Structures are given as C-alpha cells and as structure tokens.
C-alpha cells in the first residue's frame, strides 16, 4: 500500500460505489463528523444521513448518503450505506 494512504471501500446493497486508495475520508458519524487518515485507531460506528468526502489522487469526491455503518481497521475503511447519490 502506498505510504500515508488508506484503502477505502464503499458499498450499497446494489453495488460497490468506490474501492481504492485515498488520502483521507470524512464521514457523518452518529455522534458527529469525523475524518479517518493513515494509521487511524480501529473503530466501528453507525453513520447518519450526510456527506462522505474523500480525496482520491487530486480529486475530492463527495457522496450523499442516507445512513449506514463504517469499520476502520489496519488502514482499511469499509463503509456500508443504505442509499447514496453523487
């Protein structure tokens, strides 16, 4: 894995929305927004409706979600969303 990158996987019940290496991801946690960078501590959290933002290469991508869950472990972020729109 590239230095200072995390592996991000975003899935919905229908399909994989994104999979790749990113610099960071910002998520709408139930207790408030939070960001995940390289070497973040492991966690599991529910997600509220809001915006998932991540940087892939030079692109900043925003994805509106209606809720879901996230797991962070060993520089891998797995996000399962109920619905998403770009």
């Amino acid at each position: 894995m590239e230095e200072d990158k995390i592996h991000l996987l975003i899935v919905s019940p229908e399909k994989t929305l994104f999979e790749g290496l990113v610099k960071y991801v910002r998520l709408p946690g139930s207790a408030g927004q939070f960001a995940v960078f390289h070497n973040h501590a492991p966690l599991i959290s529910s997600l509220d409706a809001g915006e998932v933002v991540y940087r892939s290469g030079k692109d900043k991508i925003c994805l509106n979600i209606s809720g879901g869950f996230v797991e962070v472990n060993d520089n891998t972020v797995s996000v399962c969303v109920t619905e998403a729109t770009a």
Side-chain angles (χ1 to χ4, degrees):
M1 186 178 309
E2 292 182 44
E3 187 176 322
D4 295 338
K5 300 282 181 162
I6 55 177
H7 181 255
L8 175 62
L9 172 64
I10 304 174
V11 297
S12 72
E14 293 84 29
K15 63 183 178 179
T16 298
L17 301 167
F18 177 83
E19 183 170 15
L21 294 177
V22 300
K23 184 71 175 171
Y24 72 89
V25 59
R26 189 177 71 223
L27 301 150
S30 297
Q33 279 192 6
F34 64 95
V36 177
F37 291 87
H38 184 74
N39 287 336
H40 194 284
L43 71 83
I44 295 175
S45 176
S46 57
L47 300 174
D48 284 344
E51 193 172 59
V52 174
V53 179
Y54 56 94
R55 183 165 298 280
S56 178
K58 295 182 185 223
D59 298 326
K60 180 179 169 184
I61 295 101
C62 302
L63 186 66
N64 292 307
I65 66 166
S66 60
F69 293 90
V70 62
E71 178 185 21
V72 178
N73 193 19
D74 196 26
N75 289 316
T76 298
V77 180
S78 301
V79 182
C80 181
V81 300
T82 51
E83 290 182 55
T85 57

